[in-house]
């Protein structure tokens, strides 16, 4: 019903893109998963007790095969503003985006700056199963981030970048692939690069060491 109201409010000829957004905390206390081992053996897996962590702000548009993300050392309204700005840059010129997200405090803050080409649509309380991005986090944790020890925040951010690559490099010419992979996994890609400007440290955190834009943007 709300989605239909958003569609009706747009100018004639404006398409509506449906995006799903969420954040994942990745830290030194990482998860353990099953691993292959020789019959009769007991494979060992590393386990860290550190407290450093980073946050992946991720959003996907399955119908268009697009994704946009930021890796941040803190999760707050300012970081969310940067992520909305990145999502906005990915939206087609003839489209308006409905971004579906949960009711986290930084999603509802009075200081949140929502771009003109985005409308936020909140999920019901306590219903993460309604957000397909949760499947992305599950896959990234189990296939890329589990059974790992990260020495520092920089190592965590590097690992998050590597984990997000399959989403970032999803070909835009094949949107159905991303739609299907939200539930079935991703193909791996090893040509990750940092792309995008540094964000001013004082805007997010005194201890901000680096901010990495991972959205496959097209601004030419």
């Amino acid at each position: 019903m709300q989605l239909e109201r958003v569609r009706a409010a747009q100018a004639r000829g404006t398409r509506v893109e449906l995006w799903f957004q969420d954040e994942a905390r990745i830290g030194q206390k990482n998860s353990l998963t099953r691993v292959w081992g020789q019959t009769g053996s007991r494979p060992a897996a590393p386990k860290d007790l550190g407290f450093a962590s980073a946050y992946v702000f991720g959003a996907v548009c399955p119908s268009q095969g697009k994704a946009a993300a930021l890796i941040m050392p803190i999760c707050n309204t300012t970081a969310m503003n940067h992520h909305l700005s990145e999502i906005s840059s990915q939206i087609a010129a003839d489209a308006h985006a409905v971004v579906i997200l949960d009711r986290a405090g930084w999603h509802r803050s009075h200081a949140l700056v929502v771009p003109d080409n985005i409308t936020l649509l909140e999920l019901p309380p306590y219903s993460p199963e309604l957000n397909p991005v949760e499947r992305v986090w599950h896959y990234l944790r189990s296939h890329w981030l589990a059974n790992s020890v990260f020495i520092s925040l920089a190592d965590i951010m590097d690992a998050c970048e590597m984990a997000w690559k399959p989403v970032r490099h999803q070909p835009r010419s094949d949107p159905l692939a991303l739609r299907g992979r939200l539930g079935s996994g991703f193909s791996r890609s090893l040509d990750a690069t940092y792309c995008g400007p540094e964000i001013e440290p004082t805007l997010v955190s005194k201890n901000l060491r680096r901010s990495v834009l991972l959205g496959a943007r097209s601004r030419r």
Side-chain angles (χ1 to χ4, degrees):
M1 193 70 177
Q2 296 183 54
L3 182 58
E4 291 305 318
R5 285 200 292 267
V6 173
R7 291 183 189 275
Q10 305 310 311
R12 179 175 297 181
T14 300
R15 298 182 297 103
V16 173
E17 295 183 356
L18 194 60
W19 288 72
F20 299 92
Q21 191 276 342
D22 196 29
E23 303 86 23
R25 178 179 177 273
I26 309 299
Q28 289 178 309
K29 285 186 173 64
N30 225 321
S31 56
L32 298 177
T33 61
R34 292 184 175 90
V35 297
W36 289 102
Q38 188 174 3
T39 301
S41 67
R42 301 185 65 181
K47 184 68 174 178
D48 203 341
L49 299 178
F51 293 93
S53 61
Y55 297 85
V56 180
F57 285 68
V60 295
C61 178
S63 64
Q64 299 297 314
K66 295 190 289 188
L70 287 174
I71 298 174
M72 307 292 269
I74 197 168
C75 191
N76 61 12
T77 303
T78 304
M80 184 63 187
N81 283 337
H82 285 294
H83 191 212
L84 288 177
S85 178
E86 173 60 15
I87 296 172
S88 176
S89 72
Q90 302 288 338
I91 301 168
D94 63 341
H96 184 90
V98 173
V99 178
I100 296 178
L101 69 180
D102 60 29
R103 302 190 177 203
W106 50 91
H107 296 166
R108 317 182 81 190
S109 170
H110 292 298
L112 193 67
V113 180
V114 182
D116 293 338
N117 60 346
I118 289 177
T119 296
L120 302 183
L121 182 58
E122 294 181 343
L123 291 167
Y126 310 109
S127 56
E129 70 279 359
L130 298 180
N131 195 335
V133 178
E134 296 289 347
R135 299 182 181 180
V136 176
W137 302 145
H138 175 74
Y139 179 83
L140 298 188
R141 291 181 190 278
S142 62
H143 287 71
W144 293 88
L145 301 169
N147 303 328
S148 301
V149 171
F150 304 122
I151 305 302
S152 65
L153 175 61
D155 293 322
I156 296 174
M157 297 179 82
D158 287 341
C160 290
E161 182 204 7
M162 181 69 70
W164 183 261
K165 285 186 305 178
V167 185
R168 172 191 169 196
H169 290 288
Q170 175 63 48
R172 295 195 180 195
S173 59
D174 188 12
L176 293 179
L178 177 58
R179 189 185 310 175
R181 288 172 182 175
L182 285 174
S184 60
F186 302 87
S187 59
R188 297 192 178 189
S189 174
L190 300 178
D191 57 343
T193 57
Y194 296 124
C195 58
E198 296 287 330
I199 294 178
E200 183 64 28
T202 56
L203 292 178
V204 182
S205 168
K206 294 180 180 178
N207 299 320
L208 176 62
R209 297 184 59 180
R210 184 180 62 197
S211 176
V212 183
L213 248 78
L214 296 183
R217 67 176 65 190
S218 176
R219 293 181 175 174
R220 295 182 180 179

